[in-house]
Amino acid sequence: MISSVIKKCLLGIFLLIPNVAFSQYIGVSYYYDGVWNGWDGTQWNEYDLYGSRHGFRVYKHGERSADFFFRFWITDYTVPEKKDIKTHYKTNTKWIYDGYVEYYVCDVYPTFEDCLRELGRPLYKEDTQWSSYQEKLALVKAKNIRKNGYFNPIGYKKVTKPATIWIMPYKKYPRIYNIFFDGVGYAIDLGIADEYYGKYNPN
């Protein structure tokens, strides 16, 4: 088990230096139908991150950062002054930015919300390679042909959408990002560890 001090040091490096690859305990939460689900903590070796405090890629451990399944970046980010960080923290005021997200959809799960409803997470490439997926795809194909007379498959497709990104108040480094797009939300807690579970709400 890696100590909390080492994890904090690594997190600081990740957030200070642009475009750094980093393994980290993270928590994720999803928002749809007007409700956040609880934090889902991932293990140290499950996800890796690549980027910096104004945006990063999330990808499975052992894969390349180019094989990310979710990415976001802030287009109007500037590093805030220490006094502004302190004020935001004291008044519990979030930082609000504009930006973009990238994620993947497919014929069976054509929206991010579909992925959340059916998979409980973003779409992975391997999700489209299982035999159970091929069975569902055959049903989608047949339904489209009956309804429209044709079926144009999209395959495993990357989608880019505008997003509103909240960075929740923090003492030193950004920790909780709430990312909103297409009526859904994706929250990432960079500092989560066992002792933190249940203490933070994405709202």
Side-chain angles (χ1 to χ4, degrees):
M1 178 66 69
I2 296 177
S3 74
S4 60
V5 173
I6 293 175
K7 285 190 285 185
K8 286 179 181 178
C9 290
L10 292 172
L11 178 60
I13 291 170
F14 172 77
L15 291 171
L16 284 173
I17 301 175
N19 299 326
V20 171
F22 182 50
S23 293
Q24 166 70 7
Y25 282 112
I26 66 171
V28 294
S29 181
Y30 306 114
Y31 175 87
Y32 58 95
D33 286 343
V35 178
W36 285 102
N37 73 331
W39 285 113
D40 173 22
T42 68
Q43 296 303 309
W44 171 267
N45 63 352
E46 185 173 351
Y47 291 159
D48 286 344
L49 309 175
Y50 179 86
S52 62
R53 69 174 74 190
H54 64 274
F56 47 86
R57 302 170 184 177
V58 184
Y59 56 102
K60 298 184 77 173
H61 182 68
E63 297 184 353
R64 303 175 307 148
S65 65
D67 298 323
F68 65 89
F69 58 83
F70 185 84
R71 178 190 180 200
F72 81 93
W73 65 97
I74 297 170
T75 54
D76 56 349
Y77 183 82
T78 56
V79 178
E81 299 287 338
K82 288 185 178 179
K83 60 184 174 86
D84 294 327
I85 292 174
K86 187 175 181 179
T87 298
H88 275 247
Y89 187 78
K90 278 188 171 182
T91 59
N92 196 31
T93 304
K94 57 185 171 284
W95 308 83
I96 302 177
Y97 300 100
D98 294 321
Y100 290 89
V101 294
E102 288 184 343
Y103 57 91
Y104 288 85
V105 296
C106 62
D107 295 287
V108 175
Y109 312 120
T111 70
F112 195 84
E113 184 171 346
D114 290 327
C115 297
L116 297 184
R117 288 182 183 280
E118 298 298 322
L119 302 173
R121 55 168 171 73
L123 182 69
Y124 302 155
K125 186 173 184 179
E126 58 263 35
D127 290 325
T128 64
Q129 297 170 347
W130 303 112
S131 59
S132 57
Y133 177 83
Q134 297 304 318
E135 293 170 2
K136 293 177 182 178
L137 179 60
L139 294 175
V140 170
K141 180 178 180 180
K143 182 178 179 181
N144 275 267
I145 291 175
R146 282 197 307 270
K147 183 178 179 181
N148 304 314
Y150 62 91
F151 174 63
N152 292 326
I154 64 173
Y156 181 68
K157 178 183 177 182
K158 183 166 68 176
V159 175
T160 303
K161 292 289 183 74
T164 299
I165 296 120
W166 298 357
I167 298 180
M168 305 309 286
Y170 56 91
K171 284 186 177 181
K172 190 172 182 181
Y173 301 119
R175 170 174 168 173
I176 298 177
Y177 292 79
N178 291 355
I179 306 154
F180 298 96
F181 55 97
D182 279 357
V184 300
Y186 186 33
I188 301 173
D189 183 345
L190 293 178
I192 205 164
D194 291 344
E195 64 267 29
Y196 293 130
Y197 286 168
K199 292 187 178 181
Y200 292 88
N201 189 306
N203 294 299

